[in-house]
Amino acid sequence: MTHFQRIQPPRNDLGEGMMVIRALPTRHQRTVGAWCFLDHIGPVDFPADRGMHVGAHPHIGLQTFTWLIEGTIHHRDSLGNDMIIRPGEVNLMTAGHGISHTEDSPEHGQRLHAAQLWIALPADQHDCPPAFEHHAALPAWSEYGARFTLLAGKFGDRQSPAGVRSPLIGLDIVADSNASLTLPLNPAFEYGLLPLVGEVEVASQRLDQDEFAYIPAGQASLSLTLPAGHRALLLGGEPLQDELIMWWNFVGFSKDTIRSAQTEWEQGSARFGQIGDDSARRLVAPPLPW
Ligand code: MN
């Protein structure tokens, strides 16, 4: 029987009815493999004159992985990328040494439902040049009454095109009918499971929507039961060996790395480039905790 730990992630109201569940990091579990951030956003129905608008902000040391369930997001970054992302597609942005971007609802009055994920870059690639990938399609298949989409990594013979830099997996699972499945696990990986729509049964125990199951390494399979229409996100990876430091939008392996990124963002350094004509509202970093 698969053993797991049940975590209740905090719920934050960002206004406009936008509820966000932060499943990673929490004080119970900071990372799952290199996955170091997981926000479950919405679903939210914005009023006719409102939408999501995240001003220009920097990142270092990570990859951002945006996975939309409903709605669209307009992404612009300091590498010159300017595009709308839609459900089923993925944007993978590698911050490395430094990047900045904005995220906006292209139209107001939309419904938005998304998972925002970050992946920590390994220590030897932490400072790599920034990069951006858009994938219009990912491996998707139906089995055991569920539809699977492989967001990242390898599952059986399938391989996601997303260019991640460490051994990990991301799998989206939606039940078409009442689905009972047993997924093979890699015993070298730890896993996390977040029900995004409705509850699921994990190893014969009920896990409510937005409860997070942390599944330690060393296990060979996972049994799941999902009622029709219910949906869950499975993340996994080799447990990180180095201690990761996360502050605001920065990820690194030393406080000095984070401190210099923060100072350079405050000074408007060229490190983070500029987005379009540089007219986007800039987000201000909160003061460092040390
Ligand atoms: Mn961002």
Side-chain angles (χ1 to χ4, degrees), residues 183-201:
L183 299 177
L185 299 183
N186 178 345
F189 281 14
E190 57 185 350
Y191 290 88
L193 183 86
L194 183 69
L196 297 174
V197 177
E199 81 286 354
V200 304
E201 215 173 82

Side-chain angles (χ1 to χ4, degrees), residues 94-119:
T94 301
H97 183 66
I99 200 166
S100 58
H101 72 145
T102 56
E103 294 157 294
D104 294 280
S105 300
E107 293 160 36
H108 286 165
Q110 274 196 344
R111 186 174 176 86
L112 181 66
H113 189 191
Q116 178 64 61
L117 296 136
W118 296 354
I119 304 164

Side-chain angles (χ1 to χ4, degrees), residues 65-130:
F65 191 112
T66 306
W67 178 241
L68 277 174
I69 298 162
E70 292 177 272
T72 53
I73 293 178
H74 180 200
H75 163 91
R76 292 195 307 148
D77 65 41
S78 53
L79 297 178
N81 297 293
D82 184 330
M83 61 164 44
I84 307 280
I85 175 177
R86 299 182 169 79
E89 306 178 346
V90 64
N91 275 4
L92 179 69
M93 184 179 82
T94 301
H97 183 66
I99 200 166
S100 58
H101 72 145
T102 56
E103 294 157 294
D104 294 280
S105 300
E107 293 160 36
H108 286 165
Q110 274 196 344
R111 186 174 176 86
L112 181 66
H113 189 191
Q116 178 64 61
L117 296 136
W118 296 354
I119 304 164
L121 287 165
D124 62 352
Q125 295 178 61
H126 167 268
D127 204 39
C128 70

Side-chain angles (χ1 to χ4, degrees), residues 37-283:
F37 183 93
L38 167 56
D39 264 3
H40 178 202
I41 302 166
V44 51
D45 289 300
F46 285 111
D49 59 344
R50 296 294 164 87
M52 181 187 80
H53 294 289
V54 182
H57 62 278
H59 288 287
I60 64 161
L62 56 79
Q63 295 178 299
T64 65
F65 191 112
T66 306
W67 178 241
L68 277 174
I69 298 162
E70 292 177 272
T72 53
I73 293 178
H74 180 200
H75 163 91
R76 292 195 307 148
D77 65 41
S78 53
L79 297 178
N81 297 293
D82 184 330
M83 61 164 44
I84 307 280
I85 175 177
R86 299 182 169 79
E89 306 178 346
V90 64
N91 275 4
L92 179 69
M93 184 179 82
T94 301
H97 183 66
I99 200 166
S100 58
H101 72 145
T102 56
E103 294 157 294
D104 294 280
S105 300
E107 293 160 36
H108 286 165
Q110 274 196 344
R111 186 174 176 86
L112 181 66
H113 189 191
Q116 178 64 61
L117 296 136
W118 296 354
I119 304 164
L121 287 165
D124 62 352
Q125 295 178 61
H126 167 268
D127 204 39
C128 70
F132 179 82
E133 291 173 26
H134 175 80
H135 298 285
L138 293 167
W141 68 99
S142 291
E143 220 173 2
Y144 314 116
R147 272 176 295 135
F148 294 83
T149 308
L150 185 57
L151 308 189
K154 201 170 177 300
F155 187 79
D157 296 335
R158 295 178 171 93
Q159 173 79 54
S160 163
V164 299
R165 312 290 179 95
S166 56
L168 51 77
I169 186 173
L171 190 62
D172 181 89
I173 308 164
V174 190
D176 285 321
S177 52
N178 292 334
S180 276
L181 29 125
T182 300
L183 299 177
L185 299 183
N186 178 345
F189 281 14
E190 57 185 350
Y191 290 88
L193 183 86
L194 183 69
L196 297 174
V197 177
E199 81 286 354
V200 304
E201 215 173 82
V202 185
S204 304
Q205 295 178 62
R206 181 191 164 108
L207 185 71
D208 281 328
Q209 179 180 316
D210 291 321
E211 278 191 303
F212 190 63
Y214 172 71
I215 303 158
Q219 307 190 70
S221 67
L222 178 67
S223 65
L224 291 179
T225 304
L226 294 86
H230 291 207
R231 182 175 202 138
L233 183 62
L234 180 71
L235 305 178
E238 285 182 5
L240 289 186
Q241 299 304 316
D242 304 306
E243 199 205 338
L244 200 64
I245 299 173
M246 294 180 61
W247 175 249
W248 194 43
N249 293 302
F250 304 127
V251 168
F253 295 97
S254 77
K255 288 180 179 173
D256 281 349
T257 309
I258 307 287
R259 185 179 292 113
S260 48
Q262 169 116 345
T263 305
E264 289 177 66
W265 174 252
E266 285 168 351
Q267 292 170 346
S269 157
R271 174 174 183 176
F272 298 105
Q274 78 174 51
I275 303 164
D277 62 3
D278 209 17
S279 63
R281 175 177 62 95
R282 281 169 64 90
L283 301 190

